[in-house]
């Protein structure tokens, strides 16, 4: 990892090491990928004010996230199928986050189960929930998160209808996977990846498999899961989740000021300004475009988290300047995981940490609390 200097290096290594279908699943977005591109392009348009001769010898990244101390304003976002980027990927990512002193969020769509992770890491983690049609299953899943001592529930609300990812269809990305000669070849030339995944605890959705009868039957599991996304989901369901989850609640997938105000009314502790990394509503504005309006409207009533296109410490600084209290990393750490397991995720976090520290120094800022619109050029 010595010559890896930026997240793009990890991305290229991930692309080399992991079969194309899984790399593309992580890397690509929905439809024409306009929102995926806008997330990156709009961040890059934001320029900093260079300030000089300020004593920046005592820069400090520490902050609080949901009232708990965190070494920096970063969170690992829920990312599905991490265990297909690297064997036991969820455990590797969670360990890297905990070693760095930041929260890890486990996706409902994980390969390792909640219990697999809880039994393999030192500290509590967060759990992300998709509310599926089978409410009995969801209640049981929430109870499992409580039993595993998860410290926050991240309720994702922007996937009741699934945005089509063209590349996943072209790659036959389904459970069970579509087997073609080229796919077999693609796997065969990556024996390290194959061995890692085969040695992992599981090879399908760990949180769901136990619930579906005939768990060995991937076709049934896949059909059940696909049919379970609930288009009828609405704010009453959030109230129901509030009633069965006693801990801290984060609503993820807010992109509109009116929705942000409704999220405040649920009593949730935080919201994530997010368009699901350009994987859902293509044609939506970038997350960074909508962040200032949402932060101005509700930033004093609820903790604002941000994601979408963060690939550097500079990007974190931009989001904090426009009103986020912390940022979730999605692809940035998934690339690290594909590139090199726990060490790769640690590298991704470290790259972003160092970039943020340097950017703060060159903008004449010493603490995270000082970062506001004043660090941006007009
Ligand atoms: C491969 C992949 C899988 C994802 N799976 C989930 C998921 O299971 N649950 C969820 O709430 N968000 C999921 N997301 C969205 C991320 O949590 C996050 O919102 C997004 O990745 C942020 O954009 P970025 O990747 O540009 O940082 C996923 C994102 C990616 C890239
Ligand atoms: C059906 C998709 C579940 C995982 C996810 O949220 C994503 O791939 O973006």
């Amino acid at each position: 990892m010595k010559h890896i200097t930026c997240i793009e290096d990890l991305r290229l290594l991930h692309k080399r090491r992991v079969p194309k279908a899984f790399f593309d699943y992580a890397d690509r977005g929905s439809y024409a990928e306009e929102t995926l591109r806008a997330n990156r392009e709009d961040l890059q348009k934001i320029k900093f004010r260079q300030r000089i001769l300020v004593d920046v010898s005592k820069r400090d990244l520490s902050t609080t996230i949901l009232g708990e101390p965190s070494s920096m304003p970063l969170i690992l976002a829920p990312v599905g199928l991490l265990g297909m980027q690297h064997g036991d990927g969820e455990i590797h990512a969670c360990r890297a986050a905990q070693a760095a002193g930041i929260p890890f969020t486990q996706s409902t769509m994980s390969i390792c189960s909640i219990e697999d992770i809880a039994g393999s890491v030192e500290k509590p983690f967060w759990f992300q929930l998709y509310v599926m049609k089978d409410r009995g299953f969801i209640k049981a899943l929430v109870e499992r998160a409580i039993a595993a001592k998860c410290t926050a529930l991240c309720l994702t609300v922007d996937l009741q209808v699934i945005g089509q990812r063209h590349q996943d269809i072209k790659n036959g990305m389904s459970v069970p996977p579509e087997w073609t000669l080229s796919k077999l070849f693609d796997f065969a030339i990556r024996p390290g990846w194959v061995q890692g995944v085969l040695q992992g605890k599981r090879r399908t959705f760990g949180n769901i498999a136990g619930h579906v009868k005939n768990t060995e039957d991937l076709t049934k599991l896949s059909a059940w899961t696909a049919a379970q996304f609930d288009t009828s989901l609405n704010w009453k369901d959030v109230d129901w989740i509030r009633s069965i989850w006693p801990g801290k609640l984060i609503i993820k997938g807010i992109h509109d000021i009116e929705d942000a105000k409704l999220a405040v009314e649920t009593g949730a502790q935080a919201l994530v300004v997010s368009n699901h990394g350009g994987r859902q509503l293509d044609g939506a504005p970038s997350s960074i475009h909508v962040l200032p309006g949402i932060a101005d409207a509700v930033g004093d009533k609820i903790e604002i988290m941000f994601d979408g296109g963060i690939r550097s410490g500079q990007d974190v600084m931009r989001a904090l300047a426009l009103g986020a209290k912390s940022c979730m990393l999605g692809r940035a750490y998934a690339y690290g995981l594909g590139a090199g397991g726990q060490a790769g995720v640690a590298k991704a976090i470290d790259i972003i940490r160092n970039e943020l520290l340097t950017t703060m120094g060159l903008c004449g800022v010493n603490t995270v609390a000082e970062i506001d619109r004043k660090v941006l050029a007009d």
Side-chain angles (χ1 to χ4, degrees), residues 211-224:
H211 177 71
V212 182
K213 292 200 176 43
N214 296 324
T215 56
E216 300 308 309
D217 186 340
L218 283 181
T219 315
K220 276 198 184 147
L221 176 65
S222 132
W224 185 87

Side-chain angles (χ1 to χ4, degrees), residues 37-46 285-286 288-289:
R37 279 193 296 278
N39 278 350
R40 293 287 310 124
E41 287 167 4
D42 287 356
L43 275 166
Q44 286 166 337
K45 281 184 204 144
I46 299 169
S286 64
I288 200 72
H289 180 84

Side-chain angles (χ1 to χ4, degrees), residues 119-234:
S120 312
V121 300
E122 301 282 313
K123 295 177 217 153
F125 52 97
W126 296 358
F127 185 71
Q128 176 265 327
L129 187 71
Y130 279 129
V131 178
M132 298 173 145
K133 283 184 190 154
D134 184 339
R135 296 296 201 271
F137 167 66
I138 294 307
K139 189 158 188 292
L141 200 55
V142 169
E143 279 160 8
R144 286 166 63 189
I146 295 170
K149 302 200 163 40
C150 291
T151 42
L153 190 75
C154 175
L155 179 66
T156 300
V157 291
D158 59 5
L159 201 127
Q160 71 200 72
V161 172
I162 302 180
Q164 177 170 302
R165 295 106 193 231
H166 295 323
Q167 197 56 42
D168 288 350
I169 297 174
K170 293 184 185 15
N171 288 335
M173 256 299 281
S174 53
V175 185
E178 229 172 70
W179 286 107
T180 58
L181 264 185
S182 73
K183 194 179 262 177
L184 280 173
F185 178 74
D186 199 33
F187 279 45
I189 58 172
R190 294 180 170 87
W193 175 87
V194 172
Q195 198 187 15
V197 167
L198 290 180
Q199 282 168 354
K201 292 184 194 296
R202 290 168 206 273
R203 274 163 294 285
T204 186
F205 299 127
N207 290 325
I208 297 174
H211 177 71
V212 182
K213 292 200 176 43
N214 296 324
T215 56
E216 300 308 309
D217 186 340
L218 283 181
T219 315
K220 276 198 184 147
L221 176 65
S222 132
W224 185 87
T225 307
Q228 277 295 319
F229 285 92
D230 188 351
T231 48
S232 80
L233 215 64
N234 63 72

Side-chain angles (χ1 to χ4, degrees), residues 26 77-78 80 107 128 130 156 252 274 276-277 279 307 309 311 330-331:
S107 162
Q128 176 265 327
Y130 279 129
T156 300
K252 175 171 180 283
S274 174
H276 215 97
R279 303 163 72 78
D307 76 21
R311 302 286 182 276
R331 293 179 182 83

